Amino acid sequence: MELKTDFSLKAFNTFRVEAVAARYVRFDAENEIADFLGRNLLDGKRRLVLGGGSNLLFVDDFDGIVLHPLLKGIHMVKAARQHLRVRAMAGENWDDLVAFAVANGWGGIENLSLIPGSVGASVVQNIGAYGVEVKAVIDRVEAISIDDRKKVFFTPKDCGFDYRSSNFKGTWAGRFIITAVVFKLSRQPEFVLDYPGVKAVVEDLGSINLETIRQTIISIRQSKLPDPEQVGNGGSFFKNPVIDGNAIDRLLNGYPDLPHYPQGDDQFKLAAGWMIEHCGLKGKRAGKAAVHDKQALVMVNLGGATGREILELSEQVKGAVHDRFGIKLEREVLVVPSPGRISSLAAQPG
Ligand code: EPU
C-alpha cells in the first residue's frame, strides 16, 4: 500500500490532463484495502475509486481521496465441458484479459478487444463494443464495502447493468471497491459478427475464429479511435442517444441518412458521432482540445489541454447537436469534480 498527498493524476487518466489529488492511496493486495479502511482516514472525505482512468475527465484538482486498487491475477476457477469461469482481479488491464482468453480459446469477450481500462472498471461502465456488452459474460462481482469493510458478492442482476452504466456508476458510486470479477466464458462460442463492417473484415482474414475476430476488432478500432498512448482521450465522450419511434420518424423526415439501430420496445439508438459530424464539428479545435478528426464522438487532448478546455468544447458540441437535431447528448465520460461543483463553469450535469 502506498499513501500519498498532493499526488498528480496526470499519468492515471487517459486524457492526460493535470489534476492533483489531495490524497491518493494505491492497493496491491486485497487485505490492504480492509486495513486501510479500518484506519478511518476516509471519514467525511470525498472519494473516487480509480480504475484505468480511461473514462474520466478531471476538470479541477480533487480535494478528496483517490482509492486505486491495482490487484493483479487471472485464474480459471471452474471448468465444464461448454463453459468455464475465470476470475480476474480488478487491477488487471482489460485487454490483457481479452488476449489471455482468446489465446486459450475461450470466447465471449473477443469483440471487446482493445478497450482501454481495467477489469474492475469494465463492470462499472458495462463496457460494450461491436454488438457485445460485458454484462453478458459476468458471473459474479466481488467488492469491499467502504463503509463497513465487509466483502460483498454481486450477481449480474444486482449490478443494475444498462447501456454504459451500472449501479457502481450510479446510485452506488463511492460505496464499493471492486476487487475481482468472475467471467463465464465459452469453449464453443457463438461469434457476434452482425455489427456493420465486422463480418466483411473477418472474412477477408480467411477463417472465422477468436483470433481473427480479435484482429478484426483491433484493426477497426485502430482505424477510427485514437490510441490513448499517443493522443489523450476517453473513448466515446457521449452516449448514443436512445429515442422512441415517434421521435425517430420526425428526425428521419429531415435526416433520412441518420444511422439508427432498433433496440426493441419502440426504442432506437442514434449515432451521436454522425450528428456531431453533420454539425460540422468533426476535427474542430479549441486551443489544444479537439473533436477527433476520424470519429466525432471522441474528444481529444492534442497535448497540453486542460480538462476544462475539453469540457468547454464538449459543451459547444452538445449545444450544436441540440440546436440542430433537438437531441440532448449525455456524457459517457465521468467529469470529476462534477461540473455543478465548479462555479466558474456553466456546464450542465451530463
Ligand atoms: N459516424 C459518423 N461520423 C463520425 C462517427 C460515426 O458518421 O464521426 C457514423 C458511422 O459511420 C456509423 C455510426 O456513426 O454509421 C456509428 O459509428 P461507430 O461504428 O464508429 O460507433 P459509435 O456509435 O460512434 C459506439 C460505441 C463505441 C464502440 C462502437 C462499436 C458508444 C457511446 N460508443 O460508437 O464505444 O466502440 O460503437 O461498437 O456507444 C466507448 O464507449 O468509449 C466506445 C468507443
Side-chain angles (χ1 to χ4, degrees):
M1 183 170 80
E2 257 188 290
L3 181 60
K4 312 242 187 203
T5 48
D6 296 332
F7 185 75
S8 169
L9 298 168
K10 192 169 181 183
F12 296 106
N13 73 92
T14 59
F15 268 111
R16 298 286 178 255
V17 296
E18 186 55 277
V20 174
R23 290 211 159 183
Y24 165 94
V25 56
R26 104 177 229 162
F27 304 109
D28 296 293
E30 207 166 328
N31 64 324
E32 293 178 357
I33 300 177
D35 287 353
F36 173 80
L37 295 176
R39 288 160 60 183
N40 294 325
L41 293 173
L42 278 177
D43 286 354
K45 293 201 176 59
R46 292 203 303 128
R47 53 188 82 158
L48 172 73
V49 182
L50 188 62
S54 55
N55 204 52
L56 277 177
L57 178 65
F58 290 111
V59 292
D60 209 343
D61 291 338
F62 186 70
D63 64 5
I65 182 154
V66 171
L67 306 162
H68 199 186
L70 286 166
L71 321 183
K72 298 281 191 218
I74 302 176
H75 304 282
M76 192 209 279
V77 287
K78 199 167 162 193
R81 190 192 292 261
Q82 293 253 341
H83 290 100
L84 50 107
R85 284 174 174 69
V86 177
R87 180 170 181 262
M89 302 306 288
E92 282 289 342
N93 175 274
W94 170 260
D95 193 52
D96 289 350
L97 174 68
V98 179
F100 184 73
V102 167
N104 282 287
W106 307 335
I109 51 177
E110 58 283 355
N111 289 38
L112 305 179
S113 289
L114 210 63
I115 296 182
S118 65
V119 164
S122 73
V123 173
V124 177
Q125 180 67 4
N126 183 24
I127 56 171
Y130 304 100
V132 174
E133 283 183 325
V134 78
K135 70 173 184 184
V137 290
I138 288 175
D139 185 51
R140 190 173 76 172
V141 177
E142 301 176 21
I144 295 180
S145 160
I146 290 179
D147 289 331
D148 60 14
R149 287 188 282 152
K150 288 210 174 97
K151 176 109 193 190
V152 273
F153 297 90
F154 297 109
T155 64
K157 207 167 162 209
D158 299 330
C159 296
F161 289 122
D162 204 345
Y163 168 51
R164 294 298 189 280
S165 171
S166 72
N167 289 337
F168 296 101
K169 191 174 176 183
T171 50
W172 296 349
R175 281 182 55 195
F176 299 100
I177 298 178
I178 295 173
T179 50
V181 184
V182 178
F183 297 93
K184 186 179 175 191
L185 302 180
S186 173
R187 292 184 199 277
Q188 281 129 29
E190 282 176 29
F191 302 136
V192 180
L193 302 175
D194 39 9
Y195 195 87
V198 171
K199 201 159 183 210
V201 179
V202 79
E203 279 172 354
D204 267 359
L205 292 174
S207 60
I208 301 178
N209 56 48
L210 294 176
E211 285 288 355
T212 52
I213 295 172
R214 175 164 164 77
Q215 271 178 46
T216 297
I217 300 298
I218 289 176
S219 72
I220 294 176
R221 289 187 73 94
Q222 286 176 336
S223 69
K224 296 186 181 183
L225 297 169
D227 176 356
E229 292 298 317
Q230 280 154 29
V231 182
N233 76 94
S236 297
F237 195 88
F238 298 103
K239 294 184 193 179
N240 282 325
V242 178
I243 61 174
D244 68 21
N246 285 332
I248 189 78
D249 287 346
R250 277 198 301 275
L251 266 178
L252 290 174
N253 270 334
Y255 303 96
D257 299 332
L258 172 56
H260 57 287
Y261 315 94
Q263 306 291 295
D265 284 343
D266 196 34
Q267 298 290 297
F268 296 84
K269 194 181 268 184
L270 306 178
W274 187 96
M275 292 193 278
I276 297 169
E277 180 170 348
H278 278 71
C279 289
L281 293 170
K282 195 171 184 171
K284 159 121 181 131
R285 291 180 178 204
K288 294 292 181 187
V291 176
H292 188 46
D293 55 4
K294 294 200 187 99
Q295 223 299 2
L297 199 46
V298 177
M299 304 290 305
V300 295
N301 177 1
L302 297 171
T306 64
R308 285 181 187 221
E309 285 167 340
I310 295 166
L311 180 62
E312 274 163 9
L313 181 58
S314 80
E315 288 297 306
Q316 278 183 40
V317 168
K318 201 166 159 178
V321 169
H322 188 254
D323 291 349
R324 179 146 187 187
F325 297 97
I327 296 284
K328 206 171 158 212
L329 294 181
E330 257 183 57
R331 281 191 290 272
E332 180 186 317
V333 161
L334 181 70
V335 172
V336 180
S338 83
R341 296 177 54 93
I342 304 168
S343 51
S344 59
L345 253 183
Q348 299 150 19

